[in-house]
Amino acid sequence: MSTKKRNWKPQTALVHGGTLRSGFGETSEAMYLTQGYVYQTAQAAEARFKGEEPGFIYSRYANPTVDMFEKRMCALEGAEDARATASGMAAVTAALLCSVKAGDHIVAARALFGSCRWVVETLAPRYGIEATLVDGTEIANWEKAVRPNTKLFFLESPTNPTLEVVDIAAVASLANSIGARLVVDNVFATPLQQKPLQLGAHIVVYSATKHIDGQGRCLGGVILSDKKWIDENLHDYFRHTGPSLSPFNAWTLLKGLETLPLRVRQQTESAGRIADFLAGQPQIARVIYPGRADHPQADIVKKQMSGGSTLICLDVKGGKPAAFALQNALDIVLISNNLGDAKSLITHPATTTHKNLSDEARAELGIGPGTLRLSVGLEDTDDLLEDIAQALKAAK
Ligand SMILES: *Cc1c(COP(=O)(O)O)cnc(C)c1O
């Protein structure tokens, strides 16, 4: 494939971007399941290790199939460079640890994916990195938390599970004003509905396990940023600590990217209809969906998102018994803590994904005993609506 820079729209980049075609001329991307690479001569090995000749050395460093996935993600995100990782958490951990050192301070929005919160709140302090967690929806809270040694801001938007939205451009501008960096975990919006780098963020991370695979098969993650930051801060960490993505998983994710726009569009359309339906049900106390005009940060959604997301947060009246009864009465929608899958999945955060938080911390995040998170899949929307309606009736 020619390496000339092309001005492709996302859907084209997701089918063709980054393709490295071998001498066999295969149409579909090849899966290079290899650990190592051979050299024609000892001199060639020496030159490659010196960086004088291009080429692969060892799959912990780089692999052709993984390379295709990284390049396709760069094309989609508009990023200069990327590193693919074995999971979303490997991506988040690398992005954070490579941005700070002992004595530095992190400010993070408190509404974080459970494991992200553990990295910031529990792991980082063990190495002398302090963190302050704030309600990220008000820019004043970020400003108040800044200290002379603040080097990093970290946020997720929309958040898990209550779909709070943080003003990415405002936090990025604050970060720039003090010479800090902003890392955005963009899983819930997907790369299609929100562009953190364009909004001023410095680093974007994904759990590719979610919409990018989109069919519930394999774990993966990716870190995207400018080439300078990756060369200077991530490159050596990545090579020597080994969070590398398996070529098999990279291949699966490449195939996932080809259909990402179709899936996300369909899932978002269904989610919008389901959110509206739920909002009109007497058993539902509250529906939070970024695509609705009654979303608490609807003005920021309008500014920075181009779609309402594929996830819905709802509060069932009657607390845990009512939320459990509703989940158990569902037929098509499955009970699972994953998201972004072709299959619609529902989870009760208080007893699953957020069970490790104190009651107080959960209350701060708006996670009550009746809160459920619904990830809308690719089933027919009318079938999903019918399933939810029958489950509400049965759970009454
Ligand atoms: C799932 C998820 C992660 C972690 O990704 P894994 O691939 O499960 O390691 C991080 N952040 C968010 C927002 C997620 O949804």
Side-chain angles (χ1 to χ4, degrees):
M1 159 157 286
S2 107
T3 51
K4 83 174 176 211
K5 195 145 174 111
R6 300 181 187 198
N7 222 359
W8 282 332
K9 296 200 167 59
Q11 196 136 336
T12 309
L14 286 170
V15 175
H16 293 289
T19 301
L20 289 167
R21 199 157 272 130
S22 84
F24 293 116
E26 66 281 353
T27 45
S28 178
E29 297 72 11
M31 194 197 302
Y32 293 94
L33 274 182
T34 182
Q35 300 165 342
Y37 305 85
V38 294
Y39 312 95
Q40 290 303 315
T41 60
Q43 285 82 353
E46 182 183 34
R48 208 170 288 181
F49 268 77
K50 276 187 177 164
E52 291 169 359
E53 272 182 19
F56 295 94
I57 292 175
Y58 188 54
S59 285
R60 173 154 34 82
Y61 298 180
N63 167 283
T65 312
V66 177
D67 207 51
M68 287 191 255
F69 172 65
E70 290 169 346
K71 290 200 164 68
R72 197 167 288 181
M73 281 302 305
C74 284
L76 173 61
E77 197 71 41
E80 283 178 11
D81 205 357
R83 288 291 183 279
T85 55
S87 69
M89 281 320 303
V92 170
T93 306
L96 298 183
L97 293 185
C98 294
S99 299
V100 287
K101 58 180 189 324
D104 289 347
H105 176 240
I106 300 175
V107 183
R110 67 188 180 194
L112 291 177
F113 184 75
S115 299
C116 297
R117 188 154 164 165
W118 182 85
V119 170
V120 169
E121 223 178 7
T122 308
L123 182 68
R126 288 183 196 164
Y127 301 96
I129 301 151
E130 286 187 84
T132 306
L133 294 176
V134 300
D135 170 356
T137 57
E138 294 292 335
I139 189 69
N141 298 334
W142 295 87
E143 285 163 358
K144 260 184 277 171
V146 168
R147 299 182 192 167
N149 58 340
T150 301
K151 290 287 156 53
L152 189 71
F153 293 89
F154 177 44
L155 66 88
E156 196 183 302
S157 183
T159 64
N160 175 36
T162 51
L163 305 173
E164 271 179 6
V165 169
V166 179
D167 188 336
I168 296 173
V171 180
S173 143
L174 177 64
N176 285 331
S177 76
I178 61 161
R181 284 198 179 82
L182 169 62
V183 176
V184 174
D185 180 338
N186 204 37
V187 167
F188 273 50
T190 82
L192 296 163
Q193 297 186 350
Q194 186 166 270
K195 301 282 185 196
L197 296 178
Q198 287 174 17
L199 294 165
H202 305 88
I203 301 159
V204 183
V205 291
Y206 289 98
S207 165
T209 312
K210 311 295 166 52
H211 304 82
I212 292 174
D213 174 28
Q215 288 151 85
R217 299 165 296 193
C218 64
L219 298 181
V222 61
I223 308 160
L224 299 120
S225 187
D226 58 273
K227 191 172 175 335
K228 185 171 186 293
W229 182 81
I230 289 188
D231 284 348
E232 290 177 4
N233 297 283
L234 188 62
H235 181 79
D236 288 351
Y237 169 95
F238 189 86
R239 283 187 162 210
H240 302 306
T241 67
S244 346
L245 180 65
S246 131
F248 179 86
N249 288 4
W251 181 84
T252 310
L253 298 171
L254 269 167
K255 303 320 279 182
L257 284 176
E258 292 183 340
T259 57
L260 181 72
L262 293 171
R263 289 184 284 105
V264 169
R265 193 189 310 146
Q266 170 64 32
Q267 287 167 289
T268 302
E269 204 180 295
S270 279
R273 282 183 60 196
I274 293 168
D276 289 344
F277 169 77
L278 286 168
Q281 300 304 308
Q283 282 154 276
I284 306 297
R286 186 177 65 143
V287 171
I288 310 175
Y289 181 65
R292 279 176 58 85
D294 62 359
H295 185 278
Q297 291 89 35
D299 51 330
I300 304 171
V301 172
K302 207 174 279 169
K303 228 171 54 170
Q304 70 186 27
M305 289 181 73
S306 59
S309 113
T310 68
L311 291 125
I312 302 166
C313 180
L314 55 141
D315 265 320
V316 184
K317 287 180 191 164
K320 181 177 164 185
F324 272 33
L326 177 61
Q327 288 187 97
N328 291 339
L330 288 162
D331 176 33
I332 300 172
V333 180
L334 306 172
I335 302 171
S336 174
N337 47 285
N338 202 6
L339 62 98
D341 198 311
K343 296 177 171 64
S344 291
L345 306 174
I346 196 161
T347 194
H348 182 251
T351 53
T352 61
T353 53
H354 291 70
K355 79 162 176 44
N356 289 338
L357 293 183
S358 64
D359 289 346
E360 195 188 21
R362 268 197 299 275
E364 267 179 8
L365 298 179
I367 304 169
T371 303
L372 292 170
R373 186 195 72 197
L374 173 63
S375 169
V376 178
L378 283 174
E379 302 93 340
D380 185 276
T381 316
D382 291 332
D383 283 344
L384 289 173
L385 286 166
E386 200 176 301
D387 189 31
I388 293 164
Q390 70 74 25
L392 282 167
K393 203 178 279 176
K396 223 176 227 169

